[in-house]
Amino acid sequence: MKQLVIAIDGYSSCGKSTTAKAVAAALHYAYVDTGAMYRAVTLYLLEHHIPFDDLARVEQALHTLQISFRRNRRTGRNEVFLDGVNREDDIRQMVISNSVSEVSVIPMVRHAMVAQQQRMGRKRGVVMDGRDIGTTVFPDAEVKVFMTAEVVVRAQRRQEELALNGEQVALDDIIENLRKRDHLDSTRTESPLRRAADAVLLDTTHLVIEEQVDFVLERVSAALFAPEVHKN
């Protein structure tokens, strides 16, 4: 059976990562959380006190830091490692959320991450979630889904996620953060957040994860069994 690239793009806290992980598990595909990669870069810059506008030092950092994913056998989830150290919980903190969009608009950061993502998906059989997978990283992806949801619902989901990691954040602060990120992601020059012309829209406001996963898997089935188009 042919191997596909499944691109799941959309706004923060729509359920992209949870859905993508479940889809990857169901298909026995690799899963790449591209947002975690930008979060890891943000964490590195903050911890090394590198200003985001100091492009020379940012470029040096990109040549130095190493980002990888490893499967946690106990939890079954892929976790991000920065320079060989598990930083999965650290990159999910609100302080990272407040800065990651500013880092991801830096052209050299995007170029470096996109190149790495394309290497990861070169053999196909991969599910990637992010903001520019279907438009920039893999415009030839066989399945493209663009996820959205009402901002208050997204904020509530994000608040619950933070609480699970022991971080209590006011809902209004999270809403403000999401709106700021939406604006920065949608208006940046490099690979802005937008729905690909051939992406299917999925509004998750009133859907549970199982429904989101089924929605994507239905599109995968359609792509797998679609008749081949032969060009002369």
Side-chain angles (χ1 to χ4, degrees), residues 181-215:
R181 292 181 63 188
D182 290 349
H183 175 73
L184 289 173
D185 291 341
S186 301
T187 59
R188 68 188 178 217
T189 302
E190 292 286 334
S191 305
L193 168 64
R194 60 182 176 84
R195 176 184 172 186
D198 53 348
V200 180
L201 183 66
L202 174 57
D203 189 328
T204 70
T205 301
H206 303 294
L207 299 181
V208 297
I209 291 298
E210 290 77 11
E211 292 172 314
Q212 298 170 198
V213 173
D214 287 344
F215 180 95

Side-chain angles (χ1 to χ4, degrees), residues 144-225:
K144 298 181 184 180
V145 177
F146 189 89
M147 294 175 64
T148 186
E150 295 176 3
V151 68
V152 174
V153 173
R154 292 161 54 204
Q156 291 169 339
R157 293 172 180 169
R158 179 66 178 145
Q159 188 179 49
E160 292 172 2
E161 179 185 0
L162 290 167
L164 289 175
N165 290 330
E167 193 171 358
Q168 304 299 322
V169 182
L171 188 64
D172 286 345
D173 291 341
I174 298 175
I175 291 174
E176 181 181 356
N177 169 258
L178 289 176
R179 285 177 172 157
K180 174 186 174 184
R181 292 181 63 188
D182 290 349
H183 175 73
L184 289 173
D185 291 341
S186 301
T187 59
R188 68 188 178 217
T189 302
E190 292 286 334
S191 305
L193 168 64
R194 60 182 176 84
R195 176 184 172 186
D198 53 348
V200 180
L201 183 66
L202 174 57
D203 189 328
T204 70
T205 301
H206 303 294
L207 299 181
V208 297
I209 291 298
E210 290 77 11
E211 292 172 314
Q212 298 170 198
V213 173
D214 287 344
F215 180 95
V216 178
L217 289 175
E218 288 173 4
R219 271 68 194 170
V220 172
S221 295
L224 283 172
F225 298 107

Side-chain angles (χ1 to χ4, degrees), residues 14 39 45 49-50 52 61 71 110 116 146-147 150 169 205 216:
C14 288
R39 285 175 172 269
L45 297 181
H49 308 290
I50 299 174
F52 302 158
R71 182 175 176 79
R110 295 213 72 81
Q116 186 168 341
F146 189 89
M147 294 175 64
E150 295 176 3
V169 182
T205 301
V216 178

Side-chain angles (χ1 to χ4, degrees), residues 70-122:
R70 300 181 194 175
R71 182 175 176 79
N72 185 318
R73 293 182 179 179
R74 182 177 58 83
T75 64
R77 69 177 184 171
N78 278 356
E79 297 177 335
V80 68
F81 279 67
L82 180 60
D83 293 336
V85 179
N86 188 330
R87 307 302 301 271
E88 180 67 26
D89 291 336
D90 296 328
I91 66 169
R92 305 298 173 183
Q93 296 177 35
M94 195 65 184
V95 64
I96 303 301
S97 296
N98 285 333
S99 299
V100 65
S101 288
E102 295 178 52
V103 172
S104 63
V105 302
I106 302 172
M108 65 181 66
V109 172
R110 295 213 72 81
H111 294 166
M113 295 302 102
V114 167
Q116 186 168 341
Q117 291 154 17
Q118 290 173 333
R119 287 193 295 271
M120 290 177 173
R122 186 173 295 150

Side-chain angles (χ1 to χ4, degrees), residues 12 16 27 50 55-56 98 115 131 134-135 163 170 190 192 194 196 199 206 223:
S12 301
K16 295 193 307 295
L27 298 172
I50 299 174
L55 299 184
N98 285 333
R131 287 163 177 74
T135 55
E190 292 286 334
R194 60 182 176 84
H206 303 294

